[in-house]
mmCIF file of all heavy atoms in Angstrom:
data_model
loop_
_atom_site.group_PDB
_atom_site.id
_atom_site.type_symbol
_atom_site.label_atom_id
_atom_site.label_comp_id
_atom_site.label_asym_id
_atom_site.label_seq_id
_atom_site.Cartn_x
_atom_site.Cartn_y
_atom_site.Cartn_z
ATOM 1 N N ALA A 1058 11.954 40.755 0.495
ATOM 2 C CA ALA A 1058 11.434 40.875 1.871
ATOM 3 C C ALA A 1058 10.378 39.857 2.178
ATOM 4 O O ALA A 1058 9.711 39.981 3.244
ATOM 5 C CB ALA A 1058 10.917 42.288 2.103
ATOM 6 N N MET A 1059 10.135 38.890 1.309
ATOM 7 C CA MET A 1059 9.027 37.961 1.488
ATOM 8 C C MET A 1059 9.082 37.218 2.786
ATOM 9 O O MET A 1059 8.104 37.053 3.513
ATOM 10 C CB MET A 1059 8.945 36.997 0.298
ATOM 11 C CG MET A 1059 7.750 36.068 0.396
ATOM 12 S SD MET A 1059 6.198 36.930 0.386
ATOM 13 C CE MET A 1059 6.161 37.604 -1.259
ATOM 14 N N ASP A 1060 10.235 36.748 3.141
ATOM 15 C CA ASP A 1060 10.365 35.992 4.389
ATOM 16 C C ASP A 1060 10.080 36.852 5.600
ATOM 17 O O ASP A 1060 9.324 36.456 6.515
ATOM 18 C CB ASP A 1060 11.798 35.405 4.497
ATOM 19 C CG ASP A 1060 11.951 34.517 5.689
ATOM 20 O OD1 ASP A 1060 11.288 33.450 5.747
ATOM 21 O OD2 ASP A 1060 12.677 34.899 6.625
ATOM 22 N N ASP A 1061 10.571 38.083 5.579
ATOM 23 C CA ASP A 1061 10.267 39.021 6.684
ATOM 24 C C ASP A 1061 8.807 39.383 6.695
ATOM 25 O O ASP A 1061 8.156 39.563 7.751
ATOM 26 C CB ASP A 1061 11.137 40.287 6.560
ATOM 27 C CG ASP A 1061 12.592 39.981 6.841
ATOM 28 O OD1 ASP A 1061 12.851 39.004 7.605
ATOM 29 O OD2 ASP A 1061 13.454 40.687 6.340
ATOM 30 N N PHE A 1062 8.224 39.586 5.496
ATOM 31 C CA PHE A 1062 6.777 39.911 5.418
ATOM 32 C C PHE A 1062 5.937 38.793 6.028
ATOM 33 O O PHE A 1062 4.961 39.050 6.780
ATOM 34 C CB PHE A 1062 6.376 40.109 3.958
ATOM 35 C CG PHE A 1062 6.676 41.474 3.432
ATOM 36 C CD1 PHE A 1062 6.825 41.690 2.097
ATOM 37 C CD2 PHE A 1062 6.841 42.560 4.311
ATOM 38 C CE1 PHE A 1062 7.133 42.966 1.583
ATOM 39 C CE2 PHE A 1062 7.159 43.828 3.826
ATOM 40 C CZ PHE A 1062 7.309 43.993 2.480
ATOM 41 N N TRP A 1063 6.259 37.547 5.744
ATOM 42 C CA TRP A 1063 5.492 36.408 6.234
ATOM 43 C C TRP A 1063 5.514 36.347 7.751
ATOM 44 O O TRP A 1063 4.489 36.242 8.404
ATOM 45 C CB TRP A 1063 6.040 35.111 5.613
ATOM 46 C CG TRP A 1063 5.702 33.897 6.347
ATOM 47 C CD1 TRP A 1063 6.524 32.990 6.996
ATOM 48 C CD2 TRP A 1063 4.344 33.338 6.510
ATOM 49 N NE1 TRP A 1063 5.798 31.986 7.557
ATOM 50 C CE2 TRP A 1063 4.436 32.166 7.250
ATOM 51 C CE3 TRP A 1063 3.099 33.725 6.058
ATOM 52 C CZ2 TRP A 1063 3.360 31.370 7.585
ATOM 53 C CZ3 TRP A 1063 2.007 32.984 6.389
ATOM 54 C CH2 TRP A 1063 2.118 31.827 7.140
ATOM 55 N N HIS A 1064 6.667 36.494 8.354
ATOM 56 C CA HIS A 1064 6.760 36.443 9.807
ATOM 57 C C HIS A 1064 6.179 37.679 10.444
ATOM 58 O O HIS A 1064 5.583 37.597 11.536
ATOM 59 C CB HIS A 1064 8.199 36.251 10.231
ATOM 60 C CG HIS A 1064 8.767 34.872 9.912
ATOM 61 N ND1 HIS A 1064 9.398 34.621 8.698
ATOM 62 C CD2 HIS A 1064 8.723 33.733 10.579
ATOM 63 C CE1 HIS A 1064 9.751 33.348 8.680
ATOM 64 N NE2 HIS A 1064 9.364 32.778 9.794
ATOM 65 N N SER A 1065 6.263 38.810 9.751
ATOM 66 C CA SER A 1065 5.609 40.011 10.265
ATOM 67 C C SER A 1065 4.104 39.872 10.264
ATOM 68 O O SER A 1065 3.429 40.325 11.191
ATOM 69 C CB SER A 1065 6.025 41.269 9.436
ATOM 70 O OG SER A 1065 7.419 41.449 9.505
ATOM 71 N N ALA A 1066 3.590 39.268 9.216
ATOM 72 C CA ALA A 1066 2.128 39.032 9.126
ATOM 73 C C ALA A 1066 1.677 38.151 10.269
ATOM 74 O O ALA A 1066 0.603 38.406 10.873
ATOM 75 C CB ALA A 1066 1.799 38.412 7.794
ATOM 76 N N LEU A 1067 2.426 37.110 10.573
ATOM 77 C CA LEU A 1067 2.081 36.250 11.688
ATOM 78 C C LEU A 1067 2.060 37.052 13.008
ATOM 79 O O LEU A 1067 1.138 36.923 13.811
ATOM 80 C CB LEU A 1067 3.029 35.069 11.787
ATOM 81 C CG LEU A 1067 2.961 34.007 10.691
ATOM 82 C CD1 LEU A 1067 4.001 32.935 10.903
ATOM 83 C CD2 LEU A 1067 1.571 33.377 10.620
ATOM 84 N N LEU A 1068 3.041 37.891 13.185
ATOM 85 C CA LEU A 1068 3.128 38.703 14.378
ATOM 86 C C LEU A 1068 1.978 39.674 14.505
ATOM 87 O O LEU A 1068 1.333 39.837 15.539
ATOM 88 C CB LEU A 1068 4.449 39.421 14.365
ATOM 89 C CG LEU A 1068 4.699 40.417 15.568
ATOM 90 C CD1 LEU A 1068 4.761 39.611 16.857
ATOM 91 C CD2 LEU A 1068 5.951 41.230 15.366
ATOM 92 N N ILE A 1069 1.642 40.342 13.366
ATOM 93 C CA ILE A 1069 0.530 41.313 13.340
ATOM 94 C C ILE A 1069 -0.799 40.592 13.630
ATOM 95 O O ILE A 1069 -1.618 41.113 14.402
ATOM 96 C CB ILE A 1069 0.475 42.033 11.998
ATOM 97 C CG1 ILE A 1069 1.735 42.942 11.867
ATOM 98 C CG2 ILE A 1069 -0.795 42.880 11.860
ATOM 99 C CD1 ILE A 1069 1.867 43.606 10.496
ATOM 100 N N ILE A 1070 -1.049 39.462 12.997
ATOM 101 C CA ILE A 1070 -2.314 38.759 13.199
ATOM 102 C C ILE A 1070 -2.393 38.343 14.671
ATOM 103 O O ILE A 1070 -3.491 38.453 15.293
ATOM 104 C CB ILE A 1070 -2.394 37.535 12.265
ATOM 105 C CG1 ILE A 1070 -2.550 38.023 10.810
ATOM 106 C CG2 ILE A 1070 -3.557 36.632 12.635
ATOM 107 C CD1 ILE A 1070 -2.449 36.879 9.803
ATOM 108 N N LEU A 1071 -1.350 37.845 15.251
ATOM 109 C CA LEU A 1071 -1.365 37.394 16.617
ATOM 110 C C LEU A 1071 -1.685 38.584 17.560
ATOM 111 O O LEU A 1071 -2.553 38.488 18.433
ATOM 112 C CB LEU A 1071 -0.027 36.753 16.993
ATOM 113 C CG LEU A 1071 0.152 36.309 18.450
ATOM 114 C CD1 LEU A 1071 -0.866 35.215 18.756
ATOM 115 C CD2 LEU A 1071 1.527 35.815 18.685
ATOM 116 N N ILE A 1072 -0.984 39.710 17.392
ATOM 117 C CA ILE A 1072 -1.159 40.854 18.252
ATOM 118 C C ILE A 1072 -2.529 41.447 18.054
ATOM 119 O O ILE A 1072 -3.258 41.730 19.045
ATOM 120 C CB ILE A 1072 -0.047 41.847 18.047
ATOM 121 C CG1 ILE A 1072 1.335 41.242 18.416
ATOM 122 C CG2 ILE A 1072 -0.319 43.104 18.867
ATOM 123 C CD1 ILE A 1072 2.514 42.186 18.144
ATOM 124 N N MET A 1073 -2.935 41.674 16.815
ATOM 125 C CA MET A 1073 -4.250 42.324 16.554
ATOM 126 C C MET A 1073 -5.358 41.403 17.009
ATOM 127 O O MET A 1073 -6.402 41.855 17.534
ATOM 128 C CB MET A 1073 -4.384 42.648 15.088
ATOM 129 C CG MET A 1073 -3.500 43.809 14.612
ATOM 130 S SD MET A 1073 -3.845 44.374 12.949
ATOM 131 C CE MET A 1073 -5.486 45.072 13.139
ATOM 132 N N PHE A 1105 -4.525 51.471 13.262
ATOM 133 C CA PHE A 1105 -3.190 51.123 12.716
ATOM 134 C C PHE A 1105 -2.773 52.130 11.640
ATOM 135 O O PHE A 1105 -1.598 52.380 11.455
ATOM 136 C CB PHE A 1105 -3.254 49.687 12.153
ATOM 137 C CG PHE A 1105 -1.931 49.128 11.733
ATOM 138 C CD1 PHE A 1105 -0.976 48.833 12.722
ATOM 139 C CD2 PHE A 1105 -1.589 48.943 10.431
ATOM 140 C CE1 PHE A 1105 0.248 48.264 12.395
ATOM 141 C CE2 PHE A 1105 -0.349 48.430 10.061
ATOM 142 C CZ PHE A 1105 0.568 48.108 11.049
ATOM 143 N N MET A 1130 1.592 48.576 18.192
ATOM 144 C CA MET A 1130 1.269 48.405 16.774
ATOM 145 C C MET A 1130 1.711 49.621 15.957
ATOM 146 O O MET A 1130 2.360 49.486 14.911
ATOM 147 C CB MET A 1130 -0.231 48.163 16.567
ATOM 148 C CG MET A 1130 -0.720 46.840 17.125
ATOM 149 S SD MET A 1130 0.072 45.396 16.379
ATOM 150 C CE MET A 1130 -0.434 45.594 14.684
ATOM 151 N N LEU A 1133 5.844 50.560 17.064
ATOM 152 C CA LEU A 1133 6.838 49.517 16.875
ATOM 153 C C LEU A 1133 6.606 48.732 15.623
ATOM 154 O O LEU A 1133 7.469 48.739 14.717
ATOM 155 C CB LEU A 1133 6.817 48.633 18.144
ATOM 156 C CG LEU A 1133 7.250 49.295 19.446
ATOM 157 C CD1 LEU A 1133 7.184 48.270 20.563
ATOM 158 C CD2 LEU A 1133 8.660 49.857 19.360
ATOM 159 N N VAL A 1134 5.461 48.032 15.538
ATOM 160 C CA VAL A 1134 5.234 47.105 14.434
ATOM 161 C C VAL A 1134 5.204 47.825 13.093
ATOM 162 O O VAL A 1134 5.769 47.381 12.102
ATOM 163 C CB VAL A 1134 3.960 46.278 14.689
ATOM 164 C CG1 VAL A 1134 3.658 45.382 13.501
ATOM 165 C CG2 VAL A 1134 4.042 45.489 15.975
ATOM 166 N N LEU A 1135 4.568 48.955 13.060
ATOM 167 C CA LEU A 1135 4.442 49.711 11.821
ATOM 168 C C LEU A 1135 5.825 50.172 11.326
ATOM 169 O O LEU A 1135 6.162 50.039 10.160
ATOM 170 C CB LEU A 1135 3.536 50.895 12.011
ATOM 171 C CG LEU A 1135 3.277 51.758 10.766
ATOM 172 C CD1 LEU A 1135 2.704 50.933 9.638
ATOM 173 C CD2 LEU A 1135 2.368 52.945 11.078
ATOM 174 N N ASN A 1136 6.661 50.584 12.281
ATOM 175 C CA ASN A 1136 8.003 50.970 11.934
ATOM 176 C C ASN A 1136 8.867 49.774 11.549
ATOM 177 O O ASN A 1136 9.792 49.869 10.728
ATOM 178 C CB ASN A 1136 8.644 51.769 13.056
ATOM 179 C CG ASN A 1136 8.095 53.154 13.149
ATOM 180 O OD1 ASN A 1136 8.401 54.024 12.330
ATOM 181 N ND2 ASN A 1136 7.267 53.435 14.188
ATOM 182 N N PHE A 1137 8.602 48.634 12.176
ATOM 183 C CA PHE A 1137 9.284 47.400 11.725
ATOM 184 C C PHE A 1137 9.005 47.159 10.250
ATOM 185 O O PHE A 1137 9.892 46.816 9.474
ATOM 186 C CB PHE A 1137 8.827 46.237 12.565
ATOM 187 C CG PHE A 1137 9.291 46.240 13.989
ATOM 188 C CD1 PHE A 1137 8.679 45.420 14.953
ATOM 189 C CD2 PHE A 1137 10.292 47.150 14.403
ATOM 190 C CE1 PHE A 1137 9.144 45.464 16.260
ATOM 191 C CE2 PHE A 1137 10.754 47.186 15.714
ATOM 192 C CZ PHE A 1137 10.156 46.370 16.658
ATOM 193 N N LEU A 1138 7.739 47.274 9.890
ATOM 194 C CA LEU A 1138 7.358 47.038 8.496
ATOM 195 C C LEU A 1138 8.079 48.009 7.558
ATOM 196 O O LEU A 1138 8.604 47.617 6.508
ATOM 197 C CB LEU A 1138 5.890 47.194 8.326
ATOM 198 C CG LEU A 1138 5.004 45.996 8.797
ATOM 199 C CD1 LEU A 1138 3.534 46.356 8.665
ATOM 200 C CD2 LEU A 1138 5.317 44.780 7.979
ATOM 201 N N LEU A 1139 8.125 49.262 7.956
ATOM 202 C CA LEU A 1139 8.832 50.255 7.120
ATOM 203 C C LEU A 1139 10.274 49.942 6.984
ATOM 204 O O LEU A 1139 10.909 50.099 5.936
ATOM 205 C CB LEU A 1139 8.622 51.659 7.727
ATOM 206 C CG LEU A 1139 7.172 52.201 7.686
ATOM 207 C CD1 LEU A 1139 7.116 53.562 8.388
ATOM 208 C CD2 LEU A 1139 6.664 52.315 6.280
ATOM 209 N N ALA A 1140 10.928 49.480 8.109
ATOM 210 C CA ALA A 1140 12.318 49.136 8.036
ATOM 211 C C ALA A 1140 12.565 47.953 7.133
ATOM 212 O O ALA A 1140 13.539 47.943 6.348
ATOM 213 C CB ALA A 1140 12.837 48.824 9.475
ATOM 214 N N ILE A 1141 11.696 46.981 7.202
ATOM 215 C CA ILE A 1141 11.813 45.797 6.335
ATOM 216 C C ILE A 1141 11.725 46.211 4.835
ATOM 217 O O ILE A 1141 12.536 45.805 4.005
ATOM 218 C CB ILE A 1141 10.740 44.764 6.661
ATOM 219 C CG1 ILE A 1141 11.011 44.160 8.030
ATOM 220 C CG2 ILE A 1141 10.692 43.637 5.610
ATOM 221 C CD1 ILE A 1141 9.880 43.283 8.571
ATOM 222 N N ILE A 1142 10.778 47.082 4.571
ATOM 223 C CA ILE A 1142 10.618 47.528 3.167
ATOM 224 C C ILE A 1142 11.812 48.326 2.699
ATOM 225 O O ILE A 1142 12.327 48.114 1.604
ATOM 226 C CB ILE A 1142 9.323 48.359 3.059
ATOM 227 C CG1 ILE A 1142 8.108 47.481 3.340
ATOM 228 C CG2 ILE A 1142 9.212 48.962 1.698
ATOM 229 C CD1 ILE A 1142 6.784 48.235 3.446
#
Side-chain angles (χ1 to χ4, degrees):
M1059 183 59 69
D1060 185 66
D1061 290 333
F1062 280 157
W1063 161 245
H1064 290 91
S1065 299
L1067 292 178
L1068 178 64
I1069 292 173
I1070 292 173
L1071 176 63
I1072 296 176
M1073 290 189 68
F1105 190 69
M1130 294 298 300
L1133 296 179
V1134 176
L1135 182 58
N1136 286 287
F1137 291 164
L1138 283 175
L1139 293 176
I1141 292 171
I1142 295 172

